[in-house]
Amino acid sequence: MISDPGATAPLDYGPRGTVHVFADAEALAVAAAETFVRVTGDAIAARDGAAVALSGGSTPRRMGELLAEAPFRDRVAWDRLEVFWGDERWVLETSPESNAGVARRTFLDRVPIPPDQIHPMPTVGLEADEAAAAYAETLRTLLGGTNGMPRFDLILLGMGDDGHTASLFPGTAAIRERTALVVAHHVPKLGALRLTMTPAVLNAGREVVFLVSGAAKAERLAEVLEGPERPDELPAQVVRPAEGRLTWLVDRDAAARLSLVTE
Ligand code: 6PG
């Protein structure tokens, strides 16, 4: 249940997910923090622990700041969480570009989560391919369960204005990867190396939640949710959890081009 007075009635996009529209970025961040509390709390109640994959980018930062303060900080059983990342830039954690570095500085350093329960993607001391393989092994070991497929309780994702998600960028082979759980690849558009979970892991998530904010995303969000299926150009379309729930928490600016938005 998303509890926010600013939310409209959920927009049902069937297998493409359920969209909740919030008045602005702050209301979106509050809803994201509420979702984080709810989903992790339910997982801990059911399985005595919660595995969360964080996304990078700027949208989740305000959610992180909220989670590091009362009342949200006191509503999470931090000692029962295992925190991972859906993707990472090939930089040191000290870099302002580092997804793990930003999350630590934004909120993980300010909450009582045991340090050995924070699992950043390795970006030092290994070649990128080795780092991807090592992280995949970490996922299998800690979350692999019976069939070796890591099942996250919560996967947070963002969407770029080109329709990418995690580090699955348009035109990259990682979109179609069917075997590896994590890949390292050079992203031509960025001229940079990225590590990313592959669709199989994202689609094994129990709750997969996109956070999308801002007018710059509006056209692409409408294409992703309402347009033809073309995941090679719109990688966010590849996220289709097999058994899990797919939710989009968006603000009004990002939802501006959705035909189902009435007001
Ligand atoms: C990353 C993210 C990426 C991000 C989108 C949206 O490493 O950059 O994982 O997928 O979620 O690019 O980023 P913003 O939230 O900054 O718009």
Side-chain angles (χ1 to χ4, degrees):
M1 177 57 200
I2 302 285
S3 60
D4 176 87
T8 62
L11 309 178
D12 182 359
Y13 282 91
R16 291 187 175 180
T18 301
V19 176
H20 298 265
V21 183
F22 298 91
D24 54 30
E26 181 68 10
L28 167 55
V30 170
E34 286 281 3
T35 301
F36 189 101
V37 168
R38 174 179 59 79
V39 174
T40 57
D42 290 351
I44 291 162
R47 291 176 292 278
D48 197 30
V52 178
L54 300 177
S55 85
S58 58
T59 305
R61 287 185 196 184
R62 181 60 183 140
M63 176 200 72
E65 289 167 355
L66 290 170
L67 287 169
E69 299 157 1
F72 293 104
R73 185 181 192 277
D74 308 322
R75 293 172 53 199
V76 178
W78 297 102
D79 63 333
R80 307 304 307 138
L81 260 60
E82 299 279 351
V83 172
F84 303 78
W85 277 266
D87 74 321
E88 189 54 275
R89 291 88 180 277
W90 192 246
V91 296
L92 299 177
E93 267 194 32
T94 48
S95 163
E97 286 298 305
S98 166
N99 291 339
V102 168
R104 286 186 193 276
R105 293 186 284 273
T106 308
F107 81 105
L108 293 176
D109 287 350
R110 300 162 57 202
V111 295
I113 183 171
D116 63 354
Q117 292 173 210
I118 300 174
H119 308 280
M121 289 185 165
T123 59
V124 65
L126 292 168
E127 295 299 316
D129 285 340
E130 292 169 339
Y135 204 67
E137 192 50 35
T138 298
L139 295 180
R140 270 191 287 270
T141 303
L142 294 180
L143 306 176
T146 52
N147 65 358
M149 175 54 73
R151 286 212 75 190
F152 281 90
D153 297 294
L154 175 61
I155 299 177
L156 288 167
L157 292 171
M159 188 194 77
D161 59 11
D162 61 355
H164 83 262
T165 190
S167 282
L168 302 171
F169 281 83
T172 58
I175 298 165
R176 301 262 176 207
E177 172 61 42
R178 290 284 178 270
T179 310
L181 301 180
V182 182
V183 298
H185 63 158
H186 177 80
V187 179
K189 170 179 182 177
L190 305 174
L193 258 176
R194 290 286 187 99
L195 296 176
T196 187
M197 286 183 189
T198 57
V201 182
L202 303 181
N203 287 330
R206 292 186 173 92
E207 294 257 8
V208 182
V209 180
F210 276 93
L211 306 184
V212 185
S213 170
K217 309 280 179 78
E219 184 177 348
R220 203 69 64 207
L221 184 63
E223 288 178 8
V224 165
L225 291 173
E226 301 183 349
E229 202 73 18
R230 50 195 186 97
D232 290 304
E233 290 84 21
L234 298 172
Q237 287 185 331
V238 82
V239 178
R240 188 73 52 86
E243 296 165 21
R245 176 166 36 190
L246 178 55
T247 304
W248 297 75
L249 306 185
V250 307
D251 63 15
R252 200 161 283 157
D253 286 346
R257 305 287 289 271
L258 297 181
S259 63
L260 295 187
V261 172
T262 49
E263 80 274 15

